[in-house]
């Protein structure tokens, strides 16, 4: 159990990490880790040792390698961060986690993530190790302090809807009716031949949302959404003033695609171009307290 010292550092029986004296964000993982990706930030529950937590996925060299895991860092002001540590979140033996998503609900912090356990891609070159394909089962765990985490709970199995790995990337949206909406998508591994444990090449992926009407205790997937010309991934959603839900998607065709739901995310309109540029990269949609929408994205042209 990490303890906070008088000088602001945290210590445990096996390690000690002191808070940086120079304001900075924990930009790297250290310890020989060259890959850090998909960072998310959240306030911690009241009474926690720190006020903020930053979580991301990390690996020694590349994503999907067997050593991939979550790293985390803590802060009181969002500017000065503790040195990163391996996140004390249990995992299934022989599996790796992907894409953390954080939700603070009252005095409980929830982490959602995808976990690969069946589909490994061949190494990119002879002699290179196999790498896990992105996604798998979607799971969650909870914490009261950001250090000690509950057992992992299954939210959506990879086996649902044809066995294509499920992935998440952007925050949960709390709708005006109290329901929770978590955007997700399915991602077919890039394979040229069938591989045991993986969906066959040519499998049809869908995108959509997971909906909870009971405060996050149970989740149901929406109707699927697909496009013949592009993948629809890394969706980000926001509720509009009239109650409709806007869902934006990263694509491979140069623009952000959009879809609309009139029933709280259970069904979605056909995805079409929003006209906003997208160089096949992640973005984030946010509803402000004023009701206006803010979008952070790469305006590459």
């Amino acid at each position: 159990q990490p303890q906070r010292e008088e000088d602001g550092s945290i210590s445990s029986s096996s390690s000690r990490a002191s808070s940086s004296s120079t304001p900075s964000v924990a930009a790297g993982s250290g310890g020989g880790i060259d890959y850090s990706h998909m960072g998310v930030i959240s306030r911690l529950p009241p009474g926690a040792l720190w006020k903020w937590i930053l979580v991301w996925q990390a690996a020694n060299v590349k994503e999907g390698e067997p050593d991939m895991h979550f790293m985390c860092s803590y802060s009181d002001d969002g500017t000065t961060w503790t040195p990163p540590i391996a996140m004390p979140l249990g995992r299934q033996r022989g599996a790796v986690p992907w894409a953390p998503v954080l939700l603070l609900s009252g005095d409980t912090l929830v982490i959602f993530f995808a976990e690969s356990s069946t589909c490994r891609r061949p190494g990119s070159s002879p002699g290179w190790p196999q790498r896990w394909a992105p996604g798998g089962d979607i799971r969650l765990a909870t914490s009261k302090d950001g250090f000690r985490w509950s057992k992992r709970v299954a939210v959506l199995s990879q086996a649902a809807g044809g066995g294509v790995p499920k992935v998440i990337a952007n925050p949960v949206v709390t709708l005006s009716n109290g329901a929770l909406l978590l955007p997700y998508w399915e991602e077919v591994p890039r394979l040229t031949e069938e591989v045991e444990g993986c969906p066959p090449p040519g499998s049809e992926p869908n995108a959509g949302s997971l909906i909870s009407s009971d405060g996050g205790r149970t989740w149901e997937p929406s109707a699927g959404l697909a496009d013949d010309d592009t993948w629809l991934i890394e969706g980000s959603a926001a509720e509009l003033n009239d109650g409709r839900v806007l869902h934006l998607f990263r694509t491979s065709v140069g623009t952000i695609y959009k879809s609309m739901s009139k029933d709280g995310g259970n069904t979605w309109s056909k995805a079409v171009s929003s006209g906003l540029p997208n160089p096949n990269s992640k973005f984030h949609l946010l509803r402000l307290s004023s009701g206006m929408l803010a979008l952070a994205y790469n305006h590459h042209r």
Side-chain angles (χ1 to χ4, degrees):
Q1 159 100 20
Q3 300 292 328
R4 187 162 184 170
E5 307 296 345
E6 292 183 358
D7 64 357
S9 65
I10 56 174
S11 64
S12 68
S13 59
S14 60
S15 65
R16 180 181 177 90
S18 46
S19 180
S20 168
S21 59
T22 303
S24 64
V25 172
S29 299
I33 291 177
D34 293 331
Y35 168 81
S36 296
H37 191 43
M38 303 294 280
V40 291
I41 189 173
S42 174
R43 284 189 177 274
L44 286 165
L49 293 178
W50 302 91
K51 293 181 180 179
W52 297 91
I53 185 172
L54 173 67
V55 182
W56 65 98
Q57 65 190 42
N60 284 347
V61 180
K62 293 182 178 181
E63 72 173 24
E65 293 196 339
D67 71 321
M68 195 164 80
H69 57 285
F70 288 158
M71 301 288 291
C72 63
S73 181
Y74 303 92
S75 176
D76 271 336
D77 58 10
T79 301
T80 303
W81 294 83
T82 66
I85 61 172
M87 189 173 180
L89 179 69
R91 68 177 187 174
Q92 178 179 328
R93 184 181 297 275
V96 298
W98 296 81
V101 169
L102 298 173
L103 171 67
L104 179 60
S105 179
D107 64 352
T108 301
L109 181 65
V110 185
I111 183 169
F112 301 84
F113 57 97
E115 188 173 64
S116 298
S117 61
T118 66
C119 181
R120 294 195 190 201
R121 297 171 291 177
S124 56
S125 300
W128 283 74
Q130 291 181 318
R131 292 193 293 147
W132 291 102
D137 302 320
I138 297 178
R139 301 184 181 275
L140 67 79
T142 60
S143 175
K144 298 294 187 180
D145 58 9
F147 291 117
R148 294 163 295 189
W149 293 88
S150 70
K151 292 182 178 180
R152 301 166 305 115
V153 176
V155 174
L156 181 65
S157 170
Q158 176 180 319
V164 179
K166 277 64 174 172
V167 202
I168 56 176
N170 280 306
V172 174
V173 178
T174 301
L175 304 180
S176 56
N177 64 4
L180 302 176
L181 184 151
L182 174 61
Y184 85 99
W185 75 97
E186 298 175 337
E187 189 166 330
V188 178
R190 297 176 183 177
L191 301 171
T192 57
E193 58 185 21
E194 289 197 20
V195 174
E196 184 179 359
C198 300
S203 296
E204 295 295 331
N206 287 289
S209 55
L210 292 170
I211 308 295
S212 176
S213 300
D214 56 10
R217 287 184 290 275
T218 61
W219 297 81
E220 293 293 334
S222 69
L225 187 62
D227 190 274
D228 293 335
D229 299 320
T230 179
W231 62 3
L232 302 172
I233 71 169
E234 296 180 353
S236 189
E239 186 175 22
L240 305 182
N241 291 332
D242 62 7
R244 293 179 299 161
V245 182
L246 173 65
H247 200 163
L248 301 182
F249 297 94
R250 169 183 166 181
T251 73
S252 59
V253 292
T255 65
I256 293 174
Y257 269 36
K258 64 179 181 179
S259 176
M260 202 74 71
S261 175
K262 298 180 180 179
D263 58 7
N266 289 290
T267 60
W268 297 93
S269 66
K270 177 179 172 57
V272 297
S273 174
S274 68
L276 295 171
N278 179 238
N280 204 4
S281 64
K282 193 172 184 288
F283 54 83
H284 180 53
L285 175 67
L286 177 68
R287 177 188 166 104
L288 305 178
S289 59
S290 65
M292 297 288 287
L293 300 182
L295 180 67
Y297 70 105
N298 291 319
H299 196 93
H300 68 296
R301 57 179 167 77

